[in-house]
Amino acid sequence: MTFDLTKIVRPKIYNLEPYRCARDDFKDGVLLDANENPHGPTQPGLEGSGLNRYPDPHQLAFKTAMANFRNGENHQYKDLPQPLTAENLCLGVGSDESIDAIIRACCVPAKEKILVLPPTYSMYSVCAHINDVEIVKCPLITSDNSFQANTDEVIKTAQNDPSIKLIFITSPGNPTGAKVETSRIEKILQNWDRGMVVVDEAYIDFCGGSTAPLVTKYPNLCVLQTLSKSFGLAGIRLGITFASKEMARVLNSMKAPYNISSLASEYALRAVQPDNLKVMKQLSLENKSQQHRLVKELTSLPNVHKEPIGGLDANFILLRIGNGDGDNDLAKKLYYKLATESGVVVRYRGSELGCTGCLRITVGTKEENDKLVKEFAKLLTQLTSN
Ligand SMILES: Cc1ncc(COP(=O)(O)O)c(C=O)c1O
């Protein structure tokens, strides 16, 4: 395959001269270059915080630590040309910003398309609509409850439609919780070079086996990760795109120069220090044991399917409520009563492909799960006994 990024990225974006500030060249001294407030923040308590200054536009220390972390975890890919470096990364305001940026970089509005594999994360479609980009669907395999990518169908669909520029694969899936086998992702990467394959790994630390190191081997791969899930930092809004150095350069030149705030930068850097990475891994493991407990206790209830739907590779479970193929009406009522009568909020997913009657439940703390199980059982009995 001969991959040519200049044919994938819109020319004006590929050739974009990024915004440059004087601070790119000079960081110290009397700083009169950026029209900041020299007196500092106006509210008391923030003196000396430095928050009157624009943040660092590059986050090199965080990117380097994150690249090293993913390199260090990689025990499975032996023949990679190079390890990841900071130059393979671009940071966004959550992966939601990264999704939008990749669509804008590659798809000409009203002309080009993205391919998604439903049931999947809905932001790909939202961002596509915002950018006037059409959506083609190639469903995951639902018949065997594997929720794997239908590899041959994905390749055929993408090969037959030259206007498709991006394939979004969520692994582990949302709402399916199933990690897409790496061999399937590699097969798609090896058989389609007219665009980028974007693997969204928001939940990867709950199962391991990131494909991020593969961006040094496949120039048509972008991998999205986030600090919102396993790192417990949804509030700082920090998403990471791993890509070839060439693609990462494009994404970095497109982004607003100060998209990552000083506070987000600081917390992100702390999160990738060795001790905190250990805590992240430990908590992800603990999440597994609570996840298994929830599956066991909730699937033993009458009117709940005995097997969860999809996989257990993320930090949630997907349960089918009702007999037979699932009952959307019952699932919706249970969802509503849980929120309004018990104060427990889960997510109704019954309208997603292959998910009739499904509720998606995030694994909480032990105490939160205790409450969920008790209220879930009580309300389900009430709803099915009259
Ligand atoms: C698959 C997937 N990707 C991305 C995101 C959004 O992540 P962020 O908080 O980094 O925008 C989510 C959030 O639920 C998700 O489920």
Side-chain angles (χ1 to χ4, degrees), residues 326-345:
D327 181 340
N328 273 351
D329 195 40
L330 181 59
K332 255 188 222 164
K333 284 186 180 143
L334 179 58
Y335 158 75
Y336 188 74
K337 272 179 169 285
L338 270 171
T340 54
E341 293 178 21
S342 308
V344 177
V345 184

Side-chain angles (χ1 to χ4, degrees), residues 93-97 99 121 124 170 172-174 200 202-203 225-229 234 237-239 360:
V93 181
S95 359
D96 287 344
E97 190 187 48
I99 293 163
Y121 185 49
Y124 316 134
T170 321
N174 176 8
D200 183 344
Y203 300 96
Q225 294 180 358
T226 174
L227 297 195
S228 298
K229 311 294 177 183
R237 311 300 301 125
L238 197 124
R360 192 193 69 198

Side-chain angles (χ1 to χ4, degrees), residues 10 94-107 123-124 126-131 166 168 224 251 254:
R10 295 161 64 190
S95 359
D96 287 344
E97 190 187 48
S98 316
I99 293 163
D100 183 64
I102 295 172
I103 294 177
R104 272 186 296 136
C106 299
C107 300
M123 273 308 278
Y124 316 134
V126 171
C127 291
H129 285 309
I130 290 169
N131 289 293
L166 298 171
F168 280 92
L224 304 180
L251 294 171
M254 274 177 82

